[in-house]
Amino acid sequence: MVRGRKGGEVIGPPLTLKQSLPSWFFFSLIPAAILLHLFVAPYTKVEESFNLQATHDILIHGIPGSNADQFLTANYDHVSFPGSVPRTFVGALMLSGLARPFVGFVGNTAQMQILVRGILGLCNAFVLVMFARSVRKVFGTTAGIWYALFQASQFHVVYYASRTLPNMFAFVFSNLALLTLLNAQKTSYGYRQRLCLYLLTIAGVVFRSELALLVATITLDLIGITQGMQRVSMMLIKVIIPAGLGGLTIGLLCTVPIDSFFWQSFPLWPEWTAFYYNTLQGHSADWGVSPWYFYFFNALPRLLLNPATYLLCIPVALLNAATRKPSLRLLVPFFNFLALYSFLPHKEWRFIIYVIPGITAVAAAGASWIWTRRGKSVVYGVLSLVLALSVLLSFAASSALLAVSSLNYPGGAALTALHNAVPVALNQHALVYADNLACQTGVTRFLELHSAPQTIDDVLVAQTDVQQRTWAYDKTEDPVLLRDPLFWAKFDYVLAERPEKVIGSWEVVHVVYGYGGVRVLKPGEESGSVGEEAAVGIGSGEVQGDWTDRVAGMWRKLEGLVRQRALRGYWVEVRMEPRIRILKNLMK
């Protein structure tokens, strides 16, 4: 049978191995890009901390079988730092379970953090590749390749795919749901539509409540494209109602027992608590208010990154009769979702990241239409060249954003630098204080070092004999204690944003720099250099240059190579500013 198209869908026999190999080469760019972004920027920020700390605590301390309240209070991070609303442990429990078989292959808990994030990133990469296969099935092989190129060159998706935000756990389920929607080209009720609503409902109940809006817009779209009252009734009876009730039931059975146990509060549905607090009570506005058009004119262009996707490719996909119908099946519910979500005052790009793969798929369909006709006219040839150049520029822009973003984690870099420089002997105790900025920009329990594996028994012993650990850490935020000289006297080292607030006799032994903005330099203007502050030995070790030092050095070398020769004296300066100072107690 000859392969062809019917209504934009590829028909005919499946691709042979030889025919599919080019697609898989491009599909592999997605997991490769996600892992590259993970290794270049291995540290995390406070938004990711709950799930990361929870995964650490489950992996390291285990799940208590008795005296749960006492055990959780003694060993779990969420008891000390609960946040404004409780969050679900379901994602952390799943992630720790997937990571446990591989724990023996890493050398320390810092590497375990990369392992955990890598598994989440590969889970998202897997579903994105599955989505790419669906794009290839519906729009053709060339569209699948363009989808992979567009997706791999989008900075935000690949950068955050491995980050333990609740949105990225939900992202796994939303992509599984949307690829079933993409595959469901028939307008009648069917198991694919039901599975799509099942998965989205479960993800909304467990991880992110905003997915309820996406469920609603897809449901309305399914009803709208169903012809006749009898078929609408069948759609409701066989698809929508079972999916809604089933997804709600399964989601509640997942989240309520698990989270009631870990939070020691029954019954607890964390996502409902967060929805009530942020939306119904309006506390989300406390984090800032954006104009109604933010998602359409700010977030979407940033998330898609490549302007050719929305200025050229999507219009082509909608104008072309062969790709119009499947494109609208994706775009209509997505844009309705964005429109409804725009009524909420607080807006963040991560709230709408679920629609990006689908919108990218439509762009890929348009790119495929242009590319396959590049030899038929000068116009298509020029547009094809524009598309190829736009992808190259997107990869370059994504790489630049990665380099800059990797400079935003001074807390993690400072703690790693301290550990590398201080050879603490066995049974010699070192107490470290990490201030608020350090904790917000990379300091996690995975980065903490101890003299022995942090098994449950080790943790229990450590409660009575502090000398069993060579390192101990304090993250106190109590303003009263922070004004007490006796509080500071016990620490050996402090990671501080503002050293003047640390009481006592201290010496700055190392400075960690972070991203401080960019500015365009004109010919004749000199770029600033990273300031040098004291970096003396700590103990018998010496602090080595960290990642920020290396990035700054590479940028200066690049400036020397191309500024005068290729850019005629113009340059974009990446400014670096002191963020965290490592202080050593001179009285010890």
Side-chain angles (χ1 to χ4, degrees):
M1 182 183 294
V2 179
R3 295 178 64 81
R5 285 186 178 275
K6 183 178 180 180
E9 184 175 1
V10 175
I11 59 175
L15 294 172
T16 64
L17 177 61
K18 184 177 180 180
Q19 290 171 323
S20 64
L21 280 178
S23 296
W24 282 106
F25 169 77
F26 288 100
F27 291 170
S28 67
L29 293 175
I30 296 174
I34 289 173
L35 292 178
L36 172 66
H37 284 64
L38 163 63
F39 287 114
V40 172
Y43 302 122
T44 60
K45 280 195 174 181
V46 65
E47 298 90 343
E48 309 155 52
S49 63
F50 173 79
N51 282 300
L52 192 68
Q53 306 287 50
T55 303
H56 168 276
D57 294 340
I58 294 171
L59 272 174
I60 301 301
H61 302 308
I63 301 173
S66 60
N67 299 322
D69 185 64
Q70 180 180 358
F71 184 89
L72 293 170
T73 300
N75 301 303
Y76 272 58
D77 183 79
H78 74 285
V79 179
S80 302
F81 302 96
S84 55
V85 292
R87 287 297 183 185
T88 182
F89 272 82
V90 173
L93 194 62
M94 294 167 57
L95 194 53
S96 60
L98 291 172
R100 186 168 292 279
F102 305 99
V103 167
F105 296 98
V106 299
N108 52 53
T109 54
Q111 294 176 5
M112 198 183 299
Q113 175 170 306
I114 296 178
L115 169 68
V116 165
R117 286 190 51 202
I119 289 174
L120 177 59
L122 289 176
C123 286
N124 275 308
F126 175 73
V127 295
L128 286 172
V129 170
M130 289 181 64
F131 197 92
R133 292 183 65 220
S134 295
V135 173
R136 183 178 66 181
K137 176 183 176 183
V138 173
F139 294 112
T141 303
T142 307
I145 292 174
W146 277 105
Y147 172 82
L149 289 171
F150 286 152
Q151 192 69 81
S153 61
Q154 287 173 357
F155 169 73
H156 286 84
V157 171
V158 295
Y159 185 77
Y160 284 91
S162 67
R163 297 191 171 275
T164 53
L165 293 164
N167 312 79
M168 301 322 295
F169 288 97
F171 195 61
V172 176
F173 291 88
S174 69
N175 279 326
L176 288 174
L178 295 177
L179 72 87
T180 64
L181 182 67
L182 180 60
N183 290 332
Q185 293 301 299
K186 295 181 179 180
T187 59
S188 60
Y189 51 85
Y191 77 94
R192 285 194 176 101
Q193 291 96 331
R194 186 166 58 247
L195 179 59
C196 171
L197 297 179
Y198 263 128
L199 292 169
L200 282 177
T201 303
I202 292 171
V205 169
V206 177
F207 296 111
R208 292 299 306 185
S209 59
E210 66 258 18
L211 285 172
L213 275 180
L214 188 56
V215 172
T217 58
I218 291 175
T219 300
L220 291 173
D221 185 65
L222 291 176
I223 294 174
I225 63 175
T226 304
Q227 302 296 322
M229 288 302 298
Q230 183 178 0
R231 295 178 69 86
V232 169
S233 298
M234 295 298 289
M235 173 71 76
L236 290 170
I237 294 171
K238 290 195 172 184
V239 176
I240 296 172
I241 294 176
L245 293 177
L248 177 64
T249 302
I250 294 171
L252 289 176
L253 289 176
C254 288
T255 184
V256 172
I258 291 173
D259 294 310
S260 297
F261 171 78
F262 279 105
W263 288 97
Q264 291 293 289
S265 175
F266 186 86
L268 178 64
W269 178 8
E271 203 51 35
W272 165 254
T273 304
F275 173 77
Y276 180 80
Y277 178 84
N278 289 318
T279 304
L280 299 184
Q281 292 187 329
H283 287 288
S284 64
D286 298 341
W287 301 100
V289 175
S290 300
W292 66 269
Y293 54 81
F294 173 82
Y295 287 135
F296 291 99
F297 297 102
N298 187 308
L300 270 184
R302 281 196 295 150
L303 289 169
L304 293 170
L305 189 61
N306 187 341
T309 56
Y310 51 88
L311 295 178
L312 173 63
C313 297
I314 291 177
V316 168
L318 294 176
L319 291 172
N320 175 25
T323 56
R324 183 184 302 123
K325 181 179 176 181
S327 297
L328 288 174
R329 290 289 303 276
L330 292 173
L331 293 182
V332 169
F334 289 170
F335 279 92
N336 286 337
F337 165 73
L338 295 176
L340 289 174
Y341 210 21
S342 295
F343 283 101
L344 292 180
H346 178 61
K347 300 175 179 66
E348 293 186 36
W349 63 261
R350 59 190 175 95
F351 297 161
I352 64 164
I353 197 170
Y354 321 106
V355 305
I356 296 304
I359 295 176
T360 304
V362 177
S368 174
W369 178 266
I370 294 170
W371 185 259
T372 54
R373 286 155 180 79
R374 64 189 182 279
K376 294 184 177 181
S377 73
V378 175
V379 173
Y380 282 123
V382 172
L383 292 178
S384 296
L385 179 61
V386 169
L387 283 177
L389 291 175
S390 73
V391 169
L392 292 176
L393 290 175
S394 293
F395 273 110
S398 185
S399 300
L401 288 170
L402 172 60
V404 170
S405 298
S406 70
L407 307 177
N408 284 321
Y409 305 91
L415 188 58
T416 301
L418 178 62
H419 288 155
N420 291 338
V422 182
V424 180
L426 185 64
N427 293 330
Q428 178 185 348
H429 184 59
L431 184 58
V432 180
Y433 176 79
D435 73 0
N436 186 54
L437 180 62
C439 293
Q440 288 189 5
T441 58
V443 171
T444 68
R445 287 194 166 192
F446 275 115
L447 296 187
E448 296 176 359
L449 294 182
H450 302 278
S451 59
Q454 287 181 271
T455 62
I456 294 176
D457 291 337
D458 174 61
V459 171
L460 293 176
V461 169
Q463 303 303 314
T464 56
D465 185 3
V466 74
Q467 295 301 321
Q468 292 295 317
R469 296 184 175 192
T470 57
W471 293 91
Y473 306 85
D474 193 300
K475 305 171 187 176
T476 300
E477 297 177 339
D478 187 346
V480 176
L481 282 176
L482 295 180
R483 290 193 294 267
D484 184 357
L486 293 178
F487 170 80
W488 295 104
K490 61 186 178 182
F491 295 110
D492 297 279
Y493 301 99
V494 171
L495 309 182
E497 177 186 14
R498 301 180 63 181
E500 65 272 15
K501 289 190 173 184
V502 181
I503 301 172
S505 181
W506 300 85
E507 177 186 18
V508 177
V509 293
H510 186 63
V511 179
V512 175
Y513 289 81
Y515 174 69
V518 297
R519 69 185 181 114
V520 177
L521 300 179
K522 297 179 180 179
E525 288 185 301
E526 293 187 5
S527 61
S529 60
V530 177
E532 298 294 335
E533 296 195 29
V536 301
I538 304 177
S540 60
E542 184 175 340
V543 178
Q544 302 297 320
D546 54 31
W547 173 251
T548 59
D549 296 329
R550 293 195 290 273
V551 171
M554 289 186 291
W555 197 253
R556 284 195 294 266
K557 290 180 180 178
L558 185 62
E559 178 185 3
L561 289 173
V562 304
R563 182 177 180 182
Q564 297 300 331
R565 298 176 185 176
L567 301 177
R568 297 183 179 182
Y570 288 93
W571 186 244
V572 177
E573 178 189 23
V574 178
R575 297 175 54 239
M576 303 287 288
E577 297 177 351
R579 294 299 188 192
I580 302 290
R581 291 169 176 83
I582 302 177
L583 309 180
K584 179 180 179 181
N585 194 337
L586 295 178
M587 302 305 293
K588 287 196 172 186

